[in-house]
Amino acid sequence: MARLHLFDLDGTLLHGTSAPVEISRQLELEAETVALDLAISEGGIGPPEYAAQVHTLWAQLTEAHVTAAFEAAPWLDRIREVWAEIGQRGDYCAVVSLSPSFFVERLTGWGAHAAHGSRFPALPFTEPVDPAGVLSAAAKVLVADCLCAEFGVTRADCIAYGDSLSDMDLFAAVPISVAVNADRRLSGLATHSYMGRDLWEAYELVQHAR
């Protein structure tokens, strides 16, 4: 039976940062977005409020800014090598993130079989964010279930990688999980834990697990 590897983005594939922070850096609005990241991590705001506020910050955002943010971001090492290995073994890999889909979906170019994020309007923005398209921790599980159906696997065949409480529901739903540079609250729920900058080393913890 094939396996499905489910990767979080912010703080997991991106080391010590989030896609919105990296995008905002291009607009010199990094500090404002770091504050929003802190607010959502502490439960002060929810994903719809977060999305609405970054949407307002990004009034001048263009595709060129997003491309620059993606290329300059502090990615973990050997992401593409891990995903190539997963594909060669007949398994699947997907990214499921609360960050904007226009950033997340770029990872299909690196070998992810699927990439899902919160839906934002097309750039440059002329429409508001639809709260119904904003993902949450619980929604990650629903997306995972859809991916399982797409790839012909079950939750029992899934491995989740994440770093924060937004991954808690997914960790609880699958049998194998890897906390990557995670806070203590999530590490305590994971079957494996990794600290470092190389995704291959995290992947090795579960490479032969069945």
Side-chain angles (χ1 to χ4, degrees):
M1 176 65 72
R3 297 186 302 175
L4 172 58
H5 296 255
L6 297 159
F7 295 89
D8 173 54
L9 174 64
D10 302 323
T12 304
L13 299 177
L14 287 173
H15 184 72
T17 188
S18 68
V21 168
E22 295 307 303
I23 292 167
S24 293
R25 196 189 308 277
Q26 299 299 317
L27 300 169
E28 299 184 354
L29 295 168
E30 177 185 358
E32 291 87 341
T33 310
V34 168
L36 289 174
D37 276 8
L38 182 60
I40 195 171
S41 69
E42 293 180 343
I45 59 174
E49 294 82 9
Y50 181 97
Q53 291 190 48
V54 293
H55 175 274
T56 298
L57 284 177
W58 294 342
Q60 305 303 317
L61 188 65
T62 66
E63 287 286 354
H65 291 126
V66 178
T67 298
F70 188 91
E71 293 177 351
W75 299 99
L76 290 191
D77 295 335
R78 295 201 282 182
I79 293 174
R80 280 170 276 200
E81 289 84 349
V82 168
W83 292 351
E85 164 73 9
I86 287 171
Q88 288 164 10
R89 292 171 64 91
D91 293 336
Y92 301 98
C93 56
V95 182
V96 184
S97 171
L98 275 59
S99 278
S101 57
F102 59 71
F103 189 97
V104 180
E105 290 170 358
R106 289 170 177 254
L107 287 165
T108 58
W110 285 12
H113 294 99
H116 292 267
S118 294
R119 293 195 304 274
F120 276 65
L123 292 171
F125 296 144
T126 58
E127 300 174 2
V129 176
D130 181 356
V134 178
L135 297 187
S136 63
K140 282 190 171 188
V141 179
L142 299 178
V143 172
D145 285 341
C146 290
L147 291 169
C148 284
E150 179 181 348
F151 296 127
V153 300
T154 69
R155 287 188 187 181
D157 307 307
C158 292
I159 299 170
Y161 304 73
D163 76 301
S164 68
L165 293 183
S166 69
D167 303 300
M168 182 183 294
D169 289 12
L170 189 56
F171 274 32
V174 303
I176 301 174
S177 53
V178 184
V180 179
N181 298 316
D183 60 36
R184 258 183 229 174
R185 294 170 294 179
L186 191 71
S187 294
L189 301 173
T191 54
H192 300 80
S193 186
Y194 171 74
M195 300 291 290
R197 296 291 300 267
D198 190 335
L199 187 62
W200 188 277
E201 293 174 355
Y203 169 65
E204 281 186 321
L205 297 173
V206 296
Q207 188 174 15
H208 302 293
R210 288 291 174 184

